[in-house]
PDB file of all heavy atoms in Angstrom:
ATOM      1  N   GLY A  33      16.503  12.481 -12.388  1.00 98.00           N
ATOM      2  CA  GLY A  33      16.496  13.711 -11.580  1.00 98.00           C
ATOM      3  C   GLY A  33      15.441  14.809 -12.078  1.00 98.00           C
ATOM      4  O   GLY A  33      15.520  15.970 -11.600  1.00 98.00           O
ATOM      5  N   GLY A  35      12.054  14.643 -11.917  1.00 98.00           N
ATOM      6  CA  GLY A  35      10.921  14.769 -10.864  1.00 98.00           C
ATOM      7  C   GLY A  35       9.848  13.777 -11.138  1.00 98.00           C
ATOM      8  O   GLY A  35       8.730  13.900 -10.636  1.00 98.00           O
ATOM      9  N   LYS A  36      10.197  12.602 -11.796  1.00 98.00           N
ATOM     10  CA  LYS A  36       9.025  11.724 -12.047  1.00 98.00           C
ATOM     11  C   LYS A  36       8.685  11.013 -10.835  1.00 98.00           C
ATOM     12  O   LYS A  36       7.458  10.902 -10.531  1.00 98.00           O
ATOM     13  CB  LYS A  36       9.716  10.467 -12.988  1.00 98.00           C
ATOM     14  CG  LYS A  36      10.172  10.969 -14.243  1.00 98.00           C
ATOM     15  CD  LYS A  36      10.782   9.951 -15.119  1.00 98.00           C
ATOM     16  CE  LYS A  36      11.987   9.268 -14.542  1.00 98.00           C
ATOM     17  NZ  LYS A  36      13.148  10.146 -14.472  1.00 98.00           N
ATOM     18  N   THR A  37       9.569  10.475  -9.978  1.00 98.00           N
ATOM     19  CA  THR A  37       9.155   9.885  -8.726  1.00 98.00           C
ATOM     20  C   THR A  37       8.530  10.869  -7.804  1.00 98.00           C
ATOM     21  O   THR A  37       7.640  10.624  -6.993  1.00 98.00           O
ATOM     22  CB  THR A  37      10.385   9.211  -8.029  1.00 98.00           C
ATOM     23  OG1 THR A  37      11.032   8.358  -8.918  1.00 98.00           O
ATOM     24  CG2 THR A  37      10.140   8.397  -6.761  1.00 98.00           C
ATOM     25  N   SER A  38       8.970  12.136  -7.888  1.00 98.00           N
ATOM     26  CA  SER A  38       8.467  13.145  -7.001  1.00 98.00           C
ATOM     27  C   SER A  38       6.943  13.335  -7.323  1.00 98.00           C
ATOM     28  O   SER A  38       6.109  13.566  -6.447  1.00 98.00           O
ATOM     29  CB  SER A  38       9.127  14.512  -7.153  1.00 98.00           C
ATOM     30  OG  SER A  38      10.485  14.267  -6.993  1.00 98.00           O
ATOM     31  N   ARG A  53       8.800   7.693   0.216  1.00 96.00           N
ATOM     32  CA  ARG A  53      10.236   7.551   0.185  1.00 96.00           C
ATOM     33  C   ARG A  53      10.877   7.908   1.439  1.00 96.00           C
ATOM     34  O   ARG A  53      11.882   7.484   1.833  1.00 96.00           O
ATOM     35  CB  ARG A  53      10.780   8.435  -0.955  1.00 96.00           C
ATOM     36  CG  ARG A  53      11.121   7.822  -2.207  1.00 96.00           C
ATOM     37  CD  ARG A  53      12.088   8.524  -2.996  1.00 96.00           C
ATOM     38  NE  ARG A  53      11.589   9.744  -3.641  1.00 96.00           N
ATOM     39  CZ  ARG A  53      12.171  10.393  -4.687  1.00 96.00           C
ATOM     40  NH1 ARG A  53      13.240   9.815  -5.274  1.00 96.00           N
ATOM     41  NH2 ARG A  53      11.630  11.484  -5.161  1.00 96.00           N
ATOM     42  N   ASP A 304       6.400   3.174 -10.511  1.00 98.00           N
ATOM     43  CA  ASP A 304       7.680   4.018 -10.744  1.00 98.00           C
ATOM     44  C   ASP A 304       8.579   3.098 -11.574  1.00 98.00           C
ATOM     45  O   ASP A 304       9.030   2.044 -11.238  1.00 98.00           O
ATOM     46  CB  ASP A 304       8.389   4.394  -9.351  1.00 98.00           C
ATOM     47  CG  ASP A 304       9.244   5.538  -9.583  1.00 98.00           C
ATOM     48  OD1 ASP A 304       9.252   6.215 -10.630  1.00 98.00           O
ATOM     49  OD2 ASP A 304       9.970   5.761  -8.642  1.00 98.00           O
ATOM     50  N   ASP A 305       9.062   3.653 -12.706  1.00 96.00           N
ATOM     51  CA  ASP A 305       9.974   3.109 -13.587  1.00 96.00           C
ATOM     52  C   ASP A 305       9.530   1.618 -14.002  1.00 96.00           C
ATOM     53  O   ASP A 305      10.125   0.641 -13.749  1.00 96.00           O
ATOM     54  CB  ASP A 305      11.329   3.007 -12.994  1.00 96.00           C
ATOM     55  CG  ASP A 305      12.465   2.865 -14.098  1.00 96.00           C
ATOM     56  OD1 ASP A 305      12.096   2.866 -15.225  1.00 96.00           O
ATOM     57  OD2 ASP A 305      13.686   2.877 -13.591  1.00 96.00           O
ATOM     58  N   THR A 332       5.755   5.921 -14.584  1.00 98.00           N
ATOM     59  CA  THR A 332       6.985   6.687 -15.046  1.00 98.00           C
ATOM     60  C   THR A 332       7.965   5.869 -15.749  1.00 98.00           C
ATOM     61  O   THR A 332       8.012   4.668 -15.451  1.00 98.00           O
ATOM     62  CB  THR A 332       7.711   7.350 -13.723  1.00 98.00           C
ATOM     63  OG1 THR A 332       8.339   6.271 -13.002  1.00 98.00           O
ATOM     64  CG2 THR A 332       6.768   8.008 -12.799  1.00 98.00           C
TER      65      THR A 332
HETATM   66 MG1   MG B   2      12.910   8.174  -9.887  1.00 66.00          MG
END
Side-chain angles (χ1 to χ4, degrees):
K36 302 177 298 293
T37 305
S38 305
R53 265 204 288 199
D304 203 13
D305 205 358
T332 72

